[in-house]
Amino acid sequence: MAGQSKEAPLPSWGYALAGATGAVLANAAVYPLDIVKTKLQVQVKRKPKNKEKSLENGDASKCDEEEEEEGEIYTSAVDAIQKIIAKSGVNGLYTGMVGSLIGVASTNFAYFYWYTLVRNFYLSKSTTGAPSTAAELSLGAVAGALAQLFTIPVAVVTTRQQTRPYSAKPLGLFATAQEVISEDGVSGLWRGLKASLVLVVNPAITYGCYQRLKQILFKGRDRLTPGEAFLLGALSKSLATLVTQPLIVAKVGLQSAPPPGRKAYKNFGEVMKVIVEKEGPLGLFKGIGPQLVKGLLVQGVLMMSKERMELIFILLFRWFKKMRAERLAKAASVLPLVVKS
């Protein structure tokens, strides 16, 4: 098709850089929510009836021991914020931020880079025009899987930093990585890879929905206003989060340091089984509040800033190409004079 043969406004790395920049800005703005949702998702509480039964049997000491084993328990996002500030100060809300933003930048750069490559390849081979919803989801899944293979070690280290006990000495990015390696070997940096690969359906659903909604609501438009991009980004991420929340909770449990007295989980199926046994099925959706708010804000700001950053990069790219063409033309005009002399 004629439209498919046009040169892309930006190379793949340009779209990747725009996406990574938007993601870093968005995640930095709401980072405390990331800490809170991680704390809520990693805790494992007993069902209330178990505690009542222990008290009825006069076994209060056993109940207290179980409470101590599970560590700090948060009843809500607000409760988590209050307890984090009380124990670690306001700085506690930004624990592991450097590693997290490095992870966000690398993951999003890798995702948008591979997504642009595989999508452009698909369009170059397709004779049906825009990809279908199923094709968009598949392209997003492939890009997400490739991105996870390269960037999951940063996610593992960041989760360890965020869930480190208050009594333990804070560790930097590299020291935490060394701790993980000393416990599980180098492969420990890829802990939760299977769950992460399954979770590529999250960005796949997010960007698949974004592209589909963009085609439906704003057909024929290449550029959206900041408000329109924010709305589409927030809606698409909310849908993806609701569908994949149990897997998100399981992945966080896999990558975090186990509390005293409990061995590390072997797979995300084991995490989900323990959560259901101790908290019931709804335990798989713990932290959904801050997860949704964070996802809504981050994805909204990401897509809004990504649209603007892409436009800026396109203009810069065109300017560099124009300057390069002018220099080549000038060099070509001087070359005959040099040859004649």
Side-chain angles (χ1 to χ4, degrees), residues 324-341:
R324 183 169 176 271
E326 288 177 354
R327 287 181 180 178
L328 289 174
K330 185 176 180 181
S333 64
V334 173
L335 186 60
L337 297 177
V338 175
V339 173
K340 286 180 181 179
S341 62

Side-chain angles (χ1 to χ4, degrees), residues 40 45-47 54 64 83 92 111 164 172 174 178 190 193 222 256 260 272-273 275 279 282 302 316:
L40 288 171
K45 301 182 288 186
R46 297 179 323 283
K47 291 180 181 178
S54 296
D64 291 338
K83 287 179 177 176
Y111 179 83
R164 196 169 183 78
F174 293 105
Q178 289 175 341
W190 275 266
L193 177 60
D222 293 329
S256 64
M272 296 172 78
K273 180 182 177 182
I275 291 172
E279 303 178 60
L282 289 180
L302 189 159
L316 286 173

